[in-house]
């Protein structure tokens, strides 16, 4: 009986540790932003070609990636960026929802809002380095 209790305790500690590790913010924003840029390009192509399934797929990817970016910004204590990333994830969800209903015209407004919000955040928190790469600026 004690062995079972010990085994359960060890499993609980391992599960808790893995949960905490899984919730940590990403250490590098660059791969997230590169994936976001790719998804936005694909989303715009699909919008032009009336490809609702691709719009849905890319919007869902954007929602997940902006949620990751939000965690990064929280770790950096950049509340404005946290708020923008959260709003971006919500816009991506709205795009996916309208595209699932095959209403690509309804996705145009949230896409524009999302693009404008990207530009705003980049003006405040993006710094270009001499090697032409970018880094997060507080």
């Amino acid at each position: 009986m004690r062995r079972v209790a010990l085994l359960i305790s060890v499993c609980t500690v391992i599960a808790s540790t893995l949960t905490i590790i899984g919730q940590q913010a990403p250490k590098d924003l660059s791969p997230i932003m590169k994936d976001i840029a790719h998804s936005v390009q694909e989303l715009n192509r699909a919008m032009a070609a009336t490809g609702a399934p691709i719009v849905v797929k890319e919007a869902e990817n954007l929602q997940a990636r902006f949620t990751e970016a939000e965690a990064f910004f929280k770790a950096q204590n950049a509340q404005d960026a946290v708020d923008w990333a959260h709003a971006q994830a919500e816009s991506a969800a709205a795009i996916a929802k309208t595209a699932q209903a095959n209403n690509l015209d309804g996705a145009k407004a949230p896409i524009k809002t999302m693009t404008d919000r990207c530009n705003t955040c980049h003006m405040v928190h993006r710094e270009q380095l001499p090697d032409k790469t970018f880094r997060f600026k507080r």
Side-chain angles (χ1 to χ4, degrees):
M1 186 65 154
R2 286 185 184 180
R3 288 182 190 182
V4 172
L6 180 62
L7 180 62
I8 290 172
S9 297
V10 169
C11 289
T12 301
V13 169
I14 290 171
S16 297
T17 302
L18 291 175
T19 300
I20 291 169
I21 289 171
Q23 292 176 348
Q24 290 178 348
K27 295 190 188 306
D28 188 7
L29 186 61
S30 184
I32 295 169
M33 287 296 145
K34 285 179 182 177
D35 191 41
I36 287 171
H38 176 74
S39 281
V40 168
Q41 288 174 344
E42 292 300 315
L43 185 137
N44 286 329
R45 277 191 208 128
M47 287 291 291
T50 63
I54 296 170
V55 172
V56 171
K57 176 184 161 235
E58 297 303 336
E60 288 172 345
N61 184 55
L62 286 169
Q63 184 177 8
R65 299 305 271 175
F66 278 119
T67 300
E68 291 176 50
E70 182 180 357
F72 175 88
F73 297 138
K74 278 182 186 175
Q76 299 298 316
N77 294 318
Q79 189 58 47
D80 58 345
V82 170
D83 295 342
W84 287 323
H86 183 77
Q88 292 294 69
E90 289 179 344
S91 290
I95 294 165
K97 184 177 180 181
T98 58
Q100 285 171 342
N102 209 25
N103 177 10
L104 293 184
D105 286 337
K108 289 179 182 177
I111 289 172
K112 171 138 179 38
T113 299
M114 193 165 54
T115 302
D116 293 345
R117 207 177 286 123
C118 283
N119 292 332
T120 301
C121 188
H122 287 177
M123 294 296 291
V124 176
H125 290 294
R126 186 172 127 172
E127 179 178 35
Q128 188 171 18
L129 301 174
D131 67 356
K132 303 297 183 199
T133 60
F134 296 94
R135 76 173 179 169
F136 178 73
K137 173 178 75 170
R138 287 184 220 190

